[in-house]
C-alpha cells in the first residue's frame, strides 16, 4: 500500500489507533486470521500498514514532532489532550499561561463549519474561541493577536518540520506514491 502524500499517511496512521472497538493498533488478531486464509489483502493489509506506520513514526520522530502531529491530526481524544498539554508546557511566549494554553487548544481543536460548529465531537464551546476570555488581565487587542499569531506560527512550524521528517522516513520505506503530472 502506498499513500498519496505524507499528510494522508499521518492522518490514517493516527486514526488507526481508534478504528477498532478496543482502541489501539490491535492488528494481531487480523493477521492471525488472515494467515489461516492465505495472503493479507484489502482492508486488513491497509490497516496493518497504517498500524505499522503509526509505530514507525512514533518511534522514529523526535518527541516534539510526534506531539505536534498528535495534537494537530489525532482522533484519539486522550492522546490529543495529552499532546496539547505537553505542547503548552513546551511553548515559550510572553503571553500569560492561560492565554498560551487557550491558543494551543484552539489551534489543535479549530472551530469547524456547520451548525454551531458541531460537525465533530472535538468541538469547544464558542467562548473558547474568543480571545477576551483567554486572560484575566486586560491586554490590547493587537497584543493578543500578535501573541496568538506567534504561537500558531510556532506550532505550524513544528508540524511542518514533523511532516518533513515523516516524509523522509516514509519515502525511504517506499510508502509515498509518486504520480507524474
Amino acid at each position: 500500500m502506498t499513500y498519496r502524500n505524507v499528510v494522508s499517511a499521518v492522518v490514517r496512521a493516527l486514526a488507526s489507533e481508534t478504528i477498532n472497538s478496543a482502541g489501539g493498533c490491535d492488528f494481531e488478531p487480523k493477521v492471525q486470521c488472515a494467515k489461516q486464509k492465505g495472503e493479507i489483502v484489502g482492508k486488513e493489509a491497509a490497516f496493518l500498514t497504517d498500524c505499522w506506520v503509526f509505530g514507525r513514526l512514533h518511534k522514529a520522530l523526535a518527541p516534539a514532532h510526534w506531539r505536534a502531529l498528535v495534537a494537530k491530526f489525532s482522533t484519539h481524544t486522550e492522546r490529543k489532550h495529552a499532546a496539547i498539554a505537553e505542547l503548552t508546557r513546551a511553548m515559550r511566549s510572553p503571553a500569560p499561561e492561560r492565554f498560551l494554553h487557550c491558543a494551543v487548544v484552539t489551534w489543535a481543536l479549530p472551530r469547524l463549519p456547520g451548525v454551531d460548529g458541531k460537525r465533530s465531537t472535538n468541538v469547544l464551546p464558542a467562548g473558547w474561541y474568543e480571545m477576551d476570555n483567554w486572560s484575566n488581565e486586560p491586554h490590547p487587542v493587537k497584543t493578543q493577536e500578535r501573541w496568538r499569531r506567534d504561537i500558531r506560527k510556532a506550532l505550524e512550524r513544528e508540524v511542518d518540520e514533523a511532516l518533513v521528517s515523516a516524509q523522509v522516513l516514509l519515502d525511504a520505506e517506499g510508502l509515498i506514491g509518486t504520480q507524474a503530472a
Side-chain angles (χ1 to χ4, degrees), residues 81-103:
H81 287 259
I84 290 168
E86 290 174 19
L87 282 174
T88 301
R89 285 191 296 274
M91 287 288 301
R92 298 292 167 245
S93 172
E97 186 177 335
R98 181 172 162 207
F99 187 96
L100 176 63
H101 178 71
C102 290

Side-chain angles (χ1 to χ4, degrees), residues 8 16 19 110 116 129:
S8 65
S16 70
I19 286 177
D116 296 327
Y129 299 101

Side-chain angles (χ1 to χ4, degrees), residues 52-133:
W52 181 86
V53 168
F54 176 94
R56 188 81 170 95
L57 291 174
H58 187 229
K59 185 175 182 179
L61 292 178
H65 289 164
W66 179 251
R67 279 192 301 267
L69 291 178
V70 169
K72 180 79 171 177
F73 298 115
S74 183
T75 56
H76 190 283
T77 306
E78 289 83 24
R79 288 191 199 272
K80 187 173 188 99
H81 287 259
I84 290 168
E86 290 174 19
L87 282 174
T88 301
R89 285 191 296 274
M91 287 288 301
R92 298 292 167 245
S93 172
E97 186 177 335
R98 181 172 162 207
F99 187 96
L100 176 63
H101 178 71
C102 290
V104 173
V105 169
T106 57
W107 169 81
L109 299 167
R111 187 183 308 203
L112 299 173
V115 179
D116 296 327
K118 294 189 178 174
R119 278 183 41 199
S120 169
T121 57
N122 282 336
V123 174
L124 300 169
W128 272 88
Y129 299 101
E130 296 174 17
M131 278 192 302
D132 290 337
N133 297 334

Side-chain angles (χ1 to χ4, degrees), residues 18-181:
T18 57
I19 286 177
N20 65 25
S21 61
C25 290
D26 186 21
F27 58 85
E28 288 185 24
K30 295 182 185 316
V31 172
Q32 297 303 322
C33 181
K35 280 183 181 177
Q36 294 169 1
K37 297 177 187 173
E39 184 179 353
I40 302 171
V41 294
K43 290 181 181 179
E44 283 80 19
F47 181 66
L48 181 62
T49 303
D50 293 339
C51 291
W52 181 86
V53 168
F54 176 94
R56 188 81 170 95
L57 291 174
H58 187 229
K59 185 175 182 179
L61 292 178
H65 289 164
W66 179 251
R67 279 192 301 267
L69 291 178
V70 169
K72 180 79 171 177
F73 298 115
S74 183
T75 56
H76 190 283
T77 306
E78 289 83 24
R79 288 191 199 272
K80 187 173 188 99
H81 287 259
I84 290 168
E86 290 174 19
L87 282 174
T88 301
R89 285 191 296 274
M91 287 288 301
R92 298 292 167 245
S93 172
E97 186 177 335
R98 181 172 162 207
F99 187 96
L100 176 63
H101 178 71
C102 290
V104 173
V105 169
T106 57
W107 169 81
L109 299 167
R111 187 183 308 203
L112 299 173
V115 179
D116 296 327
K118 294 189 178 174
R119 278 183 41 199
S120 169
T121 57
N122 282 336
V123 174
L124 300 169
W128 272 88
Y129 299 101
E130 296 174 17
M131 278 192 302
D132 290 337
N133 297 334
W134 294 3
S135 178
N136 292 332
E137 301 152 17
H139 297 285
V141 172
K142 292 288 186 188
T143 302
Q144 291 180 15
E145 289 172 350
R146 186 182 74 245
W147 286 342
R148 182 182 63 182
R149 182 180 56 249
D150 291 346
I151 291 165
R152 289 182 177 199
K153 279 183 183 177
L155 291 167
E156 287 298 330
R157 188 171 40 252
E158 193 71 37
V159 167
D160 290 343
E161 291 171 8
L163 290 173
V164 167
S165 297
Q167 175 84 38
V168 169
L169 179 70
L170 297 175
D171 278 342
E173 300 290 345
L175 292 173
I176 302 294
T178 55
Q179 296 177 346

